[in-house]
Amino acid sequence: MKTNRFTETLNITPTPHISFPIGPLLLSEKMFTSLDLVSLFSPLKKKGIDISTLIKALAAYKLSDNFSIKRAHSWLMQPETREYYNLPSFTGKTQYRLLEMLWQNSAFIISGLQERIFSRCQFEHTDVNLDWTSLVLHGSASPMGKYGYSRDHRPDKLQITLGITELAHPINVPIGVTVKAGNVNDVTHFRSTFLQSQKKLTEGSMVIFDKGAGSKQNLELVEVCGHDYLTAKKLNTSDDKIIKTFWQRKPVQLNLDEQTEKRGIYGIKIVKPGSVTYFYFSQGLEAQNLDALSRKVYRQFMEAEVIQECISRNKKLPKKIGISNPLVKITYSVQTKLLQMSEEEALAFLREKLNTGRGGFFALTSSRNLTLAEALERYRKKDSIEKIFHSLKNEIEIKPLRVWTENSIRGAILIGFLAQLFVSLVRYEVPEAKHVATKFIKYSLMNLTVTMMKGKERGHRCLFSNFDALNTAILGLKCGVG
């Protein structure tokens, strides 16, 4: 009977050989070389540990199975990592000083990155997507941590806000990052995010962003800089007149793709001096709005029933309805209309009061006269920047952010941005990676391992293993994959 040599555990002999993932380190090395990042970072610090090597290593860490910047020091101090990068021993304080130095020189670094990106790649356009998100900040020591609108659904936590500039479809490469306090809204944050990258945009480039940043001042800023804008429009009472006559204006049905056709999207275009407004009606969106309306009607009906029951039984209102503050004395009376209505009448009353008549309608506005289909398609493709946010937060893992100085927080985000830039450039340049999610790119890179063969009888050599089609293509390796 044949024995399985892999199960003969009693014959295993410990060796000094060490295996570890090498793919992330090789990608970071490749990007530093191709973008000439050594010349960008080296002038920032001329004494002590080579700053370029540290940044290169931290970027590789973010592309590996990283946890947080706090734990990065332990990873850097592993014998195999130190040997690969030829790093001396250093304390965690050195790492945090590096992060502070990075953001102190962030304007120089971002400008240098942009210069190298545009020199390396002959992009077909310089249209950009702009968007903003929030990041939970753990602890309360940092002055940047403020309460604000939380995209992470944690309004109870302090946060910071993050802005990203991304070259639009089909490039989808981030070229700028800004960091502000947690209570800075999109309208205010827009200026710094836009101006950080606008000098690299060719005249007449399209700047695409959400309606949350679409103030009159921001639209004027884009035009003053010689560019066009495309943004969503907040519907108001003046738009209700257009909505009422929408179907009389003979809207055009859009057939961008099979999905659009199924949703039944119709549109009209209103050209004004200096801008164009695109009104759309979507049957799919209308169904979503009606579902949301039904849920809101039901919630308010149930709340009214709770209040009526409290009144009938002479009980106090629940805290979520009343005001609980020992410094405030309020005398008020509460009554509901439920006594005069049946349940069916009450629900119909709520539905009438809460229905704005805008269900299914949305609008875009632009300084450029596009077709209805072009405007909608360009705006829809802005969703690619949401994928960058998801990648940064959940795959590059720039969160959780711990309590550091303001510059340390920003420096840590800059390291994460650098790692994301490497991944996005891979997608842009490597056809095999074009539609591959960040986590699968990371998995493929981490699968590529190196075994450092040590011992007197073997000398000192390396054995690479676990090549696959993706990591081979990403790293540009000339080898067959079986």
Side-chain angles (χ1 to χ4, degrees):
M1 182 177 178
K2 291 184 178 180
T3 59
N4 188 336
R5 60 190 179 90
F6 294 107
T7 60
E8 293 178 350
T9 56
L10 295 178
N11 295 330
I12 293 176
T13 303
T15 69
H17 312 324
I18 298 174
S19 296
F20 65 95
I22 193 67
L25 285 69
L26 293 177
L27 177 60
S28 183
E29 191 84 44
K30 178 182 177 181
M31 288 296 177
F32 260 72
T33 301
S34 61
L35 292 172
D36 190 23
L37 296 183
V38 173
S39 67
L40 174 63
F41 292 116
S42 290
L44 301 180
K45 185 174 181 289
K46 296 183 179 179
K47 295 182 179 180
I49 301 172
D50 181 53
I51 187 173
S52 294
T53 302
L54 271 180
I55 296 170
K56 187 192 307 179
L58 285 172
Y61 170 72
K62 299 306 290 183
L63 291 168
S64 63
D65 193 14
N66 76 88
F67 295 96
S68 66
I69 285 291
K70 185 178 181 180
R71 296 192 187 182
H73 179 258
S74 299
W75 183 83
L76 290 170
M77 289 297 98
Q78 292 179 145
E80 57 271 23
T81 309
R82 286 184 58 192
E83 183 174 350
Y84 181 86
Y85 286 110
N86 194 25
L87 287 172
S89 178
F90 60 88
T91 65
K93 289 183 179 180
T94 300
Q95 177 179 289
Y96 286 110
R97 284 197 296 269
L98 166 68
L99 297 178
E100 291 185 354
M101 182 190 302
L102 283 179
W103 195 261
Q104 288 166 359
N105 296 276
S106 61
F108 170 78
I109 292 171
I110 294 295
S111 176
L113 282 173
Q114 291 174 349
E115 197 67 41
R116 285 159 173 78
I117 292 167
F118 281 89
S119 296
R120 167 185 168 132
C121 305
Q122 300 300 316
F123 295 123
E124 50 264 55
H125 65 74
T126 57
D127 296 342
V128 290
N129 301 322
L130 273 62
D131 207 351
W132 300 266
T133 190
S134 60
L135 289 170
V136 170
L137 186 63
H138 294 272
S140 57
S142 173
M144 290 188 69
K146 303 290 182 183
Y147 293 106
Y149 174 65
S150 175
R151 273 81 162 191
D152 293 327
H153 309 292
R154 291 302 306 268
D156 58 316
K157 294 287 187 180
L158 295 172
Q159 64 177 25
I160 61 170
T161 54
L162 175 70
I164 292 288
T165 302
E166 172 208 40
L167 289 168
H169 180 83
I171 302 170
N172 304 127
V173 171
I175 59 170
V177 58
T178 53
V179 185
K180 297 288 184 183
N183 59 354
V184 176
N185 59 26
D186 294 356
V187 170
T188 306
H189 203 154
F190 176 91
R191 185 179 181 86
S192 60
T193 304
F194 170 67
L195 292 179
Q196 185 186 63
S197 303
Q198 80 86 18
K199 290 183 179 179
K200 300 304 298 182
L201 310 184
T202 57
E203 187 175 354
S205 293
M206 180 72 80
V207 182
I208 307 167
F209 50 94
D210 277 336
K211 59 186 174 185
S215 67
K216 181 181 178 181
Q217 292 80 2
N218 289 341
L219 300 184
E220 289 175 350
L221 175 62
V222 173
E223 291 190 283
V224 165
C225 292
H227 308 302
D228 291 317
Y229 63 81
L230 173 64
T231 183
K233 183 179 185 297
K234 294 180 180 178
L235 297 179
N236 52 43
T237 52
S238 63
D239 297 318
D240 291 338
K241 298 177 182 178
I242 298 173
I243 290 173
K244 287 180 180 178
T245 61
F246 182 84
W247 297 106
Q248 298 171 18
R249 296 170 183 254
K250 298 180 180 179
V252 177
Q253 183 173 10
L254 304 182
N255 297 311
L256 299 181
D257 50 40
E258 186 178 343
Q259 191 176 18
T260 304
E261 190 173 359
K262 287 181 179 178
R263 289 177 179 174
I265 298 180
Y266 300 81
I268 59 173
K269 185 166 71 171
I270 300 174
V271 181
K272 302 176 183 178
S275 68
V276 182
T277 301
Y278 309 86
F279 272 91
Y280 300 94
F281 172 80
S282 166
Q283 292 175 346
L285 180 61
E286 182 188 36
Q288 293 176 18
N289 292 157
L290 289 174
D291 285 343
L293 176 63
S294 297
R295 291 193 296 271
K296 188 173 183 180
V297 166
Y298 181 74
R299 283 197 307 270
Q300 294 207 1
F301 175 75
M302 296 303 294
E303 184 178 87
E305 280 202 324
V306 170
I307 294 172
Q308 183 59 54
E309 185 178 359
C310 291
I311 294 171
S312 301
R313 297 188 178 186
N314 198 25
K315 290 184 176 181
K316 290 184 179 180
L317 295 179
K319 287 185 178 181
K320 65 178 181 179
I321 297 173
I323 297 176
S324 177
N325 189 326
L327 296 176
V328 179
K329 183 179 180 181
I330 297 178
T331 302
Y332 60 90
S333 62
V334 178
Q335 61 181 10
T336 73
K337 298 183 179 182
L338 293 181
L339 294 178
Q340 295 85 30
M341 295 182 180
S342 66
E343 180 176 334
E344 185 177 336
E345 289 172 334
L347 291 172
F349 175 79
L350 280 172
R351 193 172 288 108
E352 180 184 353
K353 290 294 183 182
L354 297 176
N355 191 354
T356 62
R358 300 173 186 170
F361 287 94
F362 62 98
L364 304 176
T365 183
S366 178
S367 56
R368 187 185 299 178
N369 193 343
L370 304 167
T371 67
L372 285 162
E374 285 174 336
L376 182 57
E377 187 172 18
R378 281 181 175 236
Y379 188 78
R380 280 172 51 179
K381 288 180 177 177
K382 183 190 69 66
D383 286 347
S384 59
I385 203 168
E386 295 292 342
K387 295 177 182 177
I388 285 184
F389 283 141
H390 180 273
S391 175
L392 276 169
K393 289 182 178 183
N394 302 300
E395 293 161 3
I396 299 298
E397 296 183 83
I398 57 175
K399 63 176 188 179
L401 289 172
R402 304 297 177 187
V403 182
W404 303 326
T405 64
E406 183 174 327
N407 284 335
S408 290
I409 292 171
R410 288 171 161 161
I413 290 174
L414 191 55
I415 291 291
F417 174 80
L418 192 63
Q420 180 62 52
L421 172 63
F422 292 171
V423 171
S424 296
L425 284 173
V426 162
R427 285 204 197 94
Y428 178 71
E429 296 177 339
V430 181
E432 293 87 343
K434 180 69 176 177
H435 302 292
V436 181
T438 301
K439 66 178 178 180
F440 295 118
I441 290 176
K442 286 180 61 176
Y443 289 160
S444 179
L445 290 172
M446 290 185 65
N447 280 340
L448 182 58
T449 59
V450 62
T451 301
M452 302 175 71
M453 312 289 286
K454 298 182 178 181
K456 294 180 180 179
E457 71 283 359
R458 295 181 179 271
H460 193 137
R461 62 191 182 89
C462 297
L463 177 65
F464 294 87
S465 56
N466 299 331
F467 293 94
D468 60 39
L470 184 57
N471 60 39
T472 300
I474 289 172
L475 298 173
L477 303 174
K478 296 180 180 179
C479 63
V481 179

